[in-house]
Amino acid sequence: RWYRLNFSMLWHDGRVDAWLATATDIDELHQAIRKARESEDFVRLAAEAAQLGVYSFDLETREHIWSPELKAIVGLDADALAPADIFDLIHPEDRERVRSSRSASFDPSGQGVFQDEHRIVRADGTVRWVLVKGRVSFLGDGTARKPKRGVGFVLDITERKVAEGALEQSEE
């Protein structure tokens, strides 16, 4: 088992008069931390293997966390910060539809689900297709229910879209 030990000295007239020792059983906490790390590693490795971008954002702090895979999909360096406005990356013809779907996922009376296929434009001008699926979590109940955090994944589906276009053209 895991224990946390603390020792304190009780001083009197410049010398140690007594020692105080406490032991706290932290075995369950240690096991929970280990399992969380294993789970995090599992998700990270799966995302890496599938080249699946993962994101998280906090609606209060506006903090955005993007996995290295997501940054690669949108053409950013792994150490680059997530852009302040994701709509700068979305193809101009798709922005309003994506903005509308995303806003609907923040509706406290809804399910908090977002799913869309749209184009992005990388900094080098390359256009790619992505599938984005996400979920918003809410705090509170009833009229006090407010969107808090969003999490989801992004998958580059450009090759599939190209194949669908080629099939459509050949059928015509």
Side-chain angles (χ1 to χ4, degrees), residues 23-128:
T24 306
D25 184 341
I26 61 166
D27 196 66
E28 288 180 18
L29 173 63
H30 182 75
Q31 297 303 325
I33 291 170
R34 184 184 56 76
K35 286 180 183 177
R37 285 186 182 141
E38 288 173 359
S39 178
E40 182 180 313
D41 287 345
F42 176 76
V43 171
R44 183 183 48 76
L45 290 171
E48 226 174 81
Q51 296 178 330
L52 187 68
V54 179
Y55 67 86
S56 169
F57 60 88
D58 186 304
L59 289 162
E60 284 181 27
T61 66
R62 298 293 189 209
E63 177 188 29
H64 287 250
I65 299 171
W66 285 17
S67 70
E69 294 79 18
L70 176 52
K71 291 176 183 179
I73 289 169
V74 300
L76 296 175
D77 290 332
D79 60 348
L81 295 175
D85 186 357
I86 63 162
F87 291 102
D88 292 342
L89 298 172
I90 297 173
H91 193 282
E93 293 174 13
D94 297 342
R95 281 185 191 148
E96 279 312 307
R97 186 187 79 253
V98 173
R99 191 181 312 274
S100 176
S101 294
R102 187 171 186 247
S103 292
S105 72
F106 298 151
D107 182 356
S109 65
Q111 298 296 312
V113 175
F114 176 84
Q115 180 173 333
D116 191 60
E117 293 181 3
H118 56 267
R119 293 166 291 176
I120 59 169
V121 182
R122 293 178 169 178
D124 66 2
T126 306
V127 175
R128 305 291 294 178

Side-chain angles (χ1 to χ4, degrees), residues 145-166:
R145 188 172 189 224
K146 303 280 184 243
K148 167 67 176 136
R149 175 173 289 283
V151 295
F153 72 83
V154 178
L155 183 63
D156 187 326
I157 59 169
T158 304
E159 284 72 28
R160 188 193 90 200
K161 286 294 199 177
V162 168
E164 287 173 358

